[in-house]
């Protein structure tokens, strides 16, 4: 098989969450452990940092990978889902796994695929671990796919575990209360391994503390060590001034990730770097400052308040749950524009009616859908939105929706594409023109 044949095989032969939803989620680690055993347990051959959370885990993962890479370490990065190319999920020092390596791995693992019928995610996790081990990375940043306790990535024994913000998402699999969701995320806490909690959520902190204590895992609440003293947008960067209660001098960082939600995400990044320094890793202020100015170019991160066009301004934002949409709306309040156009699509299992309730009435909408079975039909979405008082048209393809939004927009208008990672992933022509 060539690369395209291999990718088609992986996408169609294996149960894939983005395509079929919860049916693809395997509720134990048996397959992952069996795949890793077949590969001689690659996950035990390199150091890791493990990152879970509802929102923020992708940005935190990329920032930490950029810092470690800048510090001179050969750094693996495993994230999901991908936006344009499957190989985005598996990188070393920002470079994607090669097409030939994807082919070779799939051929090698094929007997196990036929015998144990793993999910798409289980195979990609095994592929990442095998890739990092063969290339002898110094450390790999591993982002949880879904939940934590039963996620395929949860077979590692990391240097540090990190849990970012907890919110409502995937309730049909993780539970319908924040406490239940937090329990699943806390499944990555390992015996004796430090855990960083990224945000102080008063109702959940005692829950995390109890689990960490049961596992003798030192717990560190990032906002107790670092706080944002000030911030501003300077050019195409977000400047953040950080204060540390234990030090007199403030630290300033310039981020090429300009979403206002990075004010939350930078705190667990800095706390993780502090703990890494205590373990002997070179993650000092200079390395951090240098890395945070170039996270996108170092790691290939896309879709986080991603400005891809000017006049009119077009932004891709992978906000796809209630908390993510709230953070996006907070960002909108900080910028100037004449009229707001929102290209919006979601999936059936994201409680679309709750998300629609949050959307601004004064925007012009272009309802669309990704080309996956899970996508909510654009016309059905439009009908839901109309009941809320939102006005707009339905489009079966996001690029057609975006083209129409551009035609309707004044040069001082703002167009935001959001609501589904998979919708953002299908944006094509504007990305090439930007």
């Amino acid at each position: 098989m060539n690369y395209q044949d291999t990718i088609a095989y992986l996408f169609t032969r294996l149960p894939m969450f983005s395509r079929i939803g919860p049916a693809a989620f395997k509720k134990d680690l048996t397959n992952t452990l069996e795949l890793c055993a077949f590969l001689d347990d690659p996950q035990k051959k390199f150091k890791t940092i493990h990152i879970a959370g509802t929102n923020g885990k992708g940005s935190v993962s990329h920032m930490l990978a950029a810092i470690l890479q800048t510090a001179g370490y050969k750094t693996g990065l495993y994230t999901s889902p991908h936006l344009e190319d499957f190989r985005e999920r598996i990188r070393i020092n920002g470079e994607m796994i090669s097409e030939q390596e994807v082919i070779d791995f799939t051929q090698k693992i094929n007997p196990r695929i036929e015998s144990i019928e793993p999910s798409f995610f289980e195979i990609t996790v095994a592929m990442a671990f095998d890739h990092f081990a063969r290339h002898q990375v110094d450390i790999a940043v591993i982002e949880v796919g879904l939940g934590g306790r039963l996620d395929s990535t949860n077979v590692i024994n990391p240097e540090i575990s990190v849990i970012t913000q907890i919110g409502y998402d995937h309730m049909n699999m993780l539970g319908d209360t924040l406490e239940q969701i937090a329990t699943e995320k806390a499944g990555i806490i390992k015996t004796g391994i430090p855990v960083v909690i990224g945000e102080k959520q008063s109702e959940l902190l005692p829950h995390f503390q109890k689990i960490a204590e049961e596992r003798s895992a030192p717990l560190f609440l990032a906002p107790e060590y670092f706080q944002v003293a000030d911030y501003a947008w300077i050019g195409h960067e977000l400047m953040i001034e950080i204060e540390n209660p234990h030090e007199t001098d403030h630290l300033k960082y310039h981020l090429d990730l300009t979403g206002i939600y990075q004010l939350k995400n930078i705190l667990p990044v800095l706390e993780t770097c502090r703990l890494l320094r205590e373990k002997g890793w070179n993650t000092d202020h200079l390395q951090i400052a240098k890395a945070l100015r170039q996270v996108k170019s170092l790691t290939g991160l896309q879709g986080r308040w991603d400005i891809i066009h000017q006049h009119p301004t077009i932004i891709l934002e992978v906000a796809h749950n209630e908390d993510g949409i709230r953070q996006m709306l907070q960002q909108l309040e900080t910028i100037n524009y004449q009229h707001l156009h929102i290209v919006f699509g979601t999936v059936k299992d994201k409680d679309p009616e709750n998300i629609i309730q949050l959307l601004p009435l004064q925007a012009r909408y272009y309802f669309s859908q990704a080309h996956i079975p899970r996508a909510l039909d654009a016309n059905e979405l439009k009908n839901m939105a109309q009941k809320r008082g939102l006005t707009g048209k339905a489009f079966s393809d996001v690029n057609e929706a975006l083209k129409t939004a551009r035609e309707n927009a004044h040069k001082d208008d703002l167009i935001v594409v959001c609501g589904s990672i998979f919708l953002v992933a299908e944006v094509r022509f504007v990305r090439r023109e930007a």
Side-chain angles (χ1 to χ4, degrees):
M1 292 192 294
N2 60 26
Y3 178 69
Q4 293 305 323
D5 292 336
T6 300
I7 290 299
Y9 171 77
L10 292 174
F11 285 0
T12 58
R13 170 66 177 82
L14 307 177
M16 188 176 180
F17 183 83
S18 63
R19 192 176 71 246
I20 65 174
F25 183 57
K26 301 296 183 70
K27 295 189 175 182
D28 63 59
L29 301 176
T30 303
N31 281 353
T32 305
L33 289 169
E34 184 167 336
L35 292 170
C36 286
F38 176 74
L39 298 166
D40 194 26
D41 286 324
Q43 78 280 8
K44 297 179 180 179
K45 298 177 182 178
F46 51 90
K47 305 288 188 181
T48 56
I49 299 172
H50 204 190
I51 302 174
T54 304
N55 291 305
K57 65 182 186 293
S59 294
V60 169
S61 297
H62 282 82
M63 284 192 272
L64 284 171
I67 291 164
L68 289 161
Q69 180 180 336
T70 300
Y73 298 107
K74 192 172 187 178
T75 305
L77 175 62
Y78 177 76
T79 58
S80 62
H82 62 274
L83 287 183
E84 296 183 36
D85 188 330
F86 164 80
R87 299 178 301 133
E88 294 168 22
R89 297 169 179 253
I90 304 169
R91 297 177 183 265
I92 297 176
N93 285 358
E95 184 176 343
M96 295 187 293
I97 185 173
S98 71
E99 292 183 357
Q100 189 59 51
E101 286 175 301
V102 174
I103 295 169
D104 292 345
F105 177 86
T106 304
Q107 290 176 340
K108 178 171 65 175
I109 208 76
N110 185 260
R112 283 294 183 271
I113 293 177
E114 299 303 323
S115 63
I116 68 173
E117 299 187 347
S119 70
F120 172 85
F121 193 78
E122 288 168 334
I123 286 293
T124 57
V125 167
M127 185 186 300
F129 292 164
D130 183 67
H131 183 63
F132 297 153
R134 286 187 300 102
H135 287 271
Q136 299 180 323
V137 300
D138 297 312
I139 191 167
V141 179
I142 308 296
E143 179 195 9
V144 166
L146 176 63
R149 181 175 64 94
L150 299 175
D151 187 76
S152 297
T153 63
N154 202 28
V155 296
I156 57 176
N157 198 43
E159 294 283 280
I160 299 170
S161 303
V162 182
I163 300 175
T164 63
Q165 304 109 289
I166 303 298
Y168 291 103
D169 203 0
H170 301 297
M171 285 91 80
N172 54 340
M173 289 176 287
L174 303 181
D176 54 13
T177 69
L178 286 181
E179 289 78 10
Q180 289 173 325
I181 295 170
T183 297
E184 293 300 316
K185 308 290 184 183
I188 71 166
I189 298 175
K190 303 293 194 305
T191 301
I193 303 299
V195 55
V196 172
I197 305 300
E199 183 178 8
K200 185 176 182 180
Q201 296 174 268
S202 56
E203 71 273 33
L204 298 181
L205 184 57
H207 192 65
F208 286 133
Q209 289 171 328
K210 179 176 181 292
I211 294 172
E213 184 178 352
E214 290 171 352
R215 298 173 191 174
S216 302
L219 183 145
F220 300 88
L221 182 61
E224 287 186 351
Y225 292 85
F226 299 98
Q227 287 111 38
V228 174
D230 197 10
Y231 70 94
W233 284 276
I234 302 173
H236 294 291
E237 293 182 327
L238 173 62
M239 187 283 294
I240 304 180
E241 185 174 332
I242 297 291
E243 61 180 353
N244 183 331
H246 309 289
E247 298 178 8
T248 56
D249 293 336
H250 287 192
L251 299 172
K252 289 186 178 180
Y253 298 102
H254 292 254
L255 280 65
D256 66 344
L257 307 179
T258 57
I260 196 170
Y261 45 78
Q262 305 301 355
L263 300 177
K264 291 182 177 182
N265 294 333
I266 195 173
L267 301 183
V269 169
L270 296 176
E271 178 59 8
T272 302
C273 288
R274 186 185 73 83
L275 295 175
L276 284 170
R277 284 195 297 276
E278 291 185 355
K279 288 174 168 280
W281 297 84
N282 179 25
T283 54
D284 61 24
H285 168 66
L286 293 178
Q287 306 290 355
I288 296 170
K290 184 178 179 182
L292 293 181
R293 292 191 97 142
Q294 51 184 338
V295 174
K296 291 181 181 179
S297 60
L298 288 174
T299 69
L301 180 62
Q302 300 179 88
R304 274 71 172 181
W305 203 253
D306 194 357
I307 301 173
I308 64 168
H309 195 273
Q310 299 281 10
H311 311 300
T313 300
I314 302 176
I315 295 174
L316 305 183
E317 172 52 62
V318 296
H320 59 280
N321 54 40
E322 292 179 49
D323 284 347
I325 294 295
R326 287 191 184 95
Q327 291 173 8
M328 183 192 78
L329 297 176
Q330 184 183 3
Q331 179 97 34
L332 288 175
E333 293 176 358
T334 68
I335 59 178
N336 296 319
Y337 52 84
Q338 186 166 323
H339 298 291
L340 177 61
H341 305 257
I342 296 181
V343 179
F344 181 76
T346 187
V347 292
K348 301 169 187 174
D349 48 85
K350 286 287 182 185
D351 291 320
E353 291 185 348
N354 289 340
I355 293 175
I356 288 169
Q357 292 296 321
L358 301 174
L359 296 174
L361 291 170
Q362 67 272 22
R364 186 169 182 175
Y365 287 89
Y366 308 80
F367 302 105
S368 189
Q369 62 191 78
H371 292 92
I372 58 172
R374 283 177 64 210
L376 180 63
D377 178 79
N379 283 295
E380 185 177 347
L381 178 60
K382 183 189 76 169
N383 292 337
M384 285 184 185
Q386 284 179 334
K387 294 176 183 177
R388 162 82 167 84
L390 307 182
T391 58
K393 295 182 178 180
F395 300 83
S396 60
D397 181 80
V398 67
N399 289 296
E400 186 63 27
L402 188 48
K403 179 175 180 288
T404 305
R406 288 185 71 187
E407 291 170 350
N408 291 335
H410 182 270
K411 66 180 180 66
D412 294 325
D413 286 0
L414 173 63
I415 302 171
V416 180
V417 184
C418 63
S420 167
I421 294 173
F422 309 107
L423 188 78
V424 170
E426 292 183 7
V427 173
R428 288 292 180 266
F429 76 98
V430 175
R431 194 184 286 279
R432 289 197 295 271
E433 291 180 8

